[in-house]
Amino acid sequence: MSLWQRPLKRLQAIAEHGTYRFRLNSLKGFISLFLVGTVLSVALAACSGGGTGSNASSETPSATPVAANKDSVELTLVSFAVTKAAHEAIIPKFVEQWKKDHNQTVVFKQSYGGSGSQTRAVIDGLEADVVHLALAGDTSKIEKAGLIQPGWEKEVPNNGIVSKSVAALVTRSGNPKGIKNWEDLAKDGVKLITANPKTSGGAKWNFLGLWDSVIKTGGDEAKATAFVTKVYKNVPILPKDAREATDTFAKQGQGDVLINYENEVILAQQKGEKVEYIVPDVNISIDNPIAVVDKNVDKHGTREVAEGFVKYLYSPEAQQEFVKLGFRPVDETLAQTKEVKDKFPKVKTLGTVADFGGWSAIDKKFFADGGVFDKIQAQK
């Protein structure tokens, strides 16, 4: 709420609730009414954008002047766990650029966790200005809660998808179980680590990768159900998010195979860890959306800087950082460079969310209470 809107709100409340009763037949009442009317007129003029001076902004009329007039502004980013390293590399570059262009310091508050858990936290009151989640279905839940305006995916390039990856199968040193593809995860004696799709967006992608590996190779839904059921019988534990699943496999030594984001595996290798993995050539495109949380940025007066940050994430500089840390680029020009082609194994058959009818259909069929996943778990 802007500085002008606050007194306007109070005056409207006064009028509605009858806090002051004006007696028009008295001089005192007339003067009081005149003064209130004058203040209301000024406030309404200011709210309509007709004013001039430092509070007016012809470039960003949707932005409130609250943050724009400050030397520094705080922005809250809520994201899914595996983007942390990328954002920690990108944010300082954005802060430097924003300071140069706007002479304003941006201070970031950051929160990372399972995409499903982060989504619920935002809906329940975590006042994110920007959300970068594992799947568009989670962003849509925040939209349905009334925090994000419909059409958010059309406000930025690539239908709101700002980072993407594919699924990778991480094995123990020397691959003692002989894992080569999705089918091997259903073998007797193979213990698989994957997160819980009830709380983790990454785990939903893992599930879809397993399912789609059957469909894309000519199997029907009955065969897909049988295969995925057998695989989940080999899952001894369901961590809450992708990062916790990685820790369960790498630090606690549980399991023979871990399904993980390809970017997480690449990042681990960059940190000096010896990681062996396979990228199945039948795979799923793991697409991660970005969105401004409209209700919160308007409340905080941070719309301009929030939209600026989202726009920056699509810049060549930011996309280059995503690539360095193992994400496949959404920029097709960058995707065709030798650096990118050498970095990422080619996938022959790539499934998408659209193949399943979109996230609404996916959640209803697979992950809602009583859905396919619950039925599979009940058979363990």
Side-chain angles (χ1 to χ4, degrees):
M1 187 179 293
S2 74
L3 296 175
W4 283 112
Q5 286 172 315
R6 291 193 188 99
L8 175 59
K9 200 80 173 180
R10 287 197 292 270
L11 288 166
Q12 287 173 330
I14 287 169
E16 290 171 3
H17 293 91
T19 305
Y20 294 125
R21 293 188 177 92
F22 298 108
R23 297 177 58 190
L24 296 178
N25 59 349
S26 71
L27 178 60
K28 183 178 179 181
F30 176 79
I31 293 171
S32 298
L33 183 59
F34 174 79
L35 290 174
V36 170
T38 301
V39 173
L40 278 170
S41 298
V42 173
L44 285 168
C47 288
S48 67
T52 59
S54 61
N55 284 347
S57 174
S58 60
E59 294 181 358
T60 55
S62 61
T64 68
V66 176
N69 287 340
K70 294 183 178 180
D71 291 333
S72 66
V73 57
E74 185 176 87
L75 202 67
T76 299
L77 169 67
V78 173
S79 190
F80 64 110
V82 301
T83 64
K84 184 176 181 181
H87 282 302
E88 287 180 343
I90 293 169
I91 283 172
K93 294 178 181 292
F94 169 74
V95 170
E96 181 182 0
Q97 187 64 48
W98 189 264
K99 179 70 172 178
K100 179 181 177 181
D101 294 343
H102 299 268
N103 195 29
Q104 185 179 54
T105 300
V106 184
V107 178
F108 275 82
K109 289 178 66 177
Q110 302 169 61
S111 174
Y112 299 94
S115 188
S117 300
Q118 294 291 75
T119 299
R120 284 191 293 276
V122 172
I123 292 171
D124 291 342
L126 176 56
E127 293 191 358
D129 296 296
V130 177
V131 287
H132 183 187
L133 299 171
L135 41 94
D138 283 345
T139 313
S140 294
K141 290 176 184 176
I142 299 175
E143 176 193 328
K144 290 176 182 176
L147 300 176
I148 295 176
Q149 292 298 316
W152 58 269
E153 68 277 14
K154 301 301 181 184
E155 294 178 1
V156 290
N158 204 38
N159 285 321
I161 304 304
V162 76
S163 62
K164 65 180 182 178
S165 191
V166 295
L169 310 180
V170 184
T171 70
R172 296 295 176 190
S173 180
N175 193 8
K177 296 291 183 176
I179 306 299
K180 297 179 181 178
N181 50 40
W182 296 106
E183 288 81 359
D184 294 327
L185 303 182
K187 289 180 178 178
D188 293 338
V190 172
K191 295 299 180 184
L192 171 67
I193 301 298
T194 180
N196 188 343
K198 292 283 191 175
T199 57
S200 167
K204 288 185 178 183
W205 288 114
N206 296 349
F207 185 99
L208 295 179
L210 287 163
W211 185 275
D212 210 37
S213 71
V214 176
I215 302 299
K216 285 290 192 294
T217 52
D220 58 16
E221 291 211 349
K223 288 183 178 179
T225 302
F227 169 68
V228 177
T229 299
K230 195 169 183 180
V231 169
Y232 273 88
K233 285 182 179 179
N234 287 342
V235 177
I237 184 173
L238 287 169
K240 66 181 180 181
D241 60 40
R243 181 54 53 85
E244 189 174 298
T246 300
D247 289 344
T248 299
F249 180 79
K251 296 181 180 180
Q252 299 175 21
Q254 295 191 48
D256 304 302
V257 190
L258 167 73
I259 309 179
N260 205 351
Y261 293 103
E262 178 189 43
N263 62 281
E264 277 283 89
V265 181
I266 293 172
L267 179 60
Q269 288 182 329
Q270 291 175 351
K271 290 180 177 179
E273 299 176 28
K274 294 181 179 179
V275 185
E276 297 181 22
Y277 70 102
I278 300 103
V279 174
D281 58 9
V282 177
N283 218 305
I284 189 81
S285 183
I286 299 172
D287 300 332
N288 319 131
I290 192 85
V292 170
V293 185
D294 295 291
K295 186 173 182 179
N296 291 340
V297 296
D298 288 340
K299 176 182 178 181
H300 303 156
T302 54
R303 177 175 290 279
E304 183 181 9
V305 65
E307 291 179 347
F309 177 63
V310 168
K311 182 180 179 181
Y312 184 80
L313 292 178
Y314 286 94
S315 70
E317 295 81 8
Q319 283 295 306
Q320 200 60 258
E321 291 299 329
F322 278 121
V323 169
K324 287 179 185 177
L325 292 163
F327 288 93
R328 297 190 175 214
V330 298
D331 185 321
E332 282 304 313
T333 302
L334 187 57
Q336 297 306 313
T337 62
K338 185 177 185 302
E339 174 196 358
V340 171
K341 288 183 176 180
D342 290 345
K343 191 181 187 75
F344 301 108
K346 186 175 181 180
V347 174
K348 293 180 181 178
T349 305
L350 192 65
T352 67
V353 168
D355 297 338
F356 292 86
W359 277 111
S360 180
I362 288 170
D363 282 332
K364 182 178 180 180
K365 179 176 181 177
F366 294 111
F367 306 120
D369 290 343
V372 172
F373 178 74
D374 281 352
K375 290 175 182 177
I376 285 173
Q377 284 297 96
Q379 296 183 48
K380 290 182 66 174

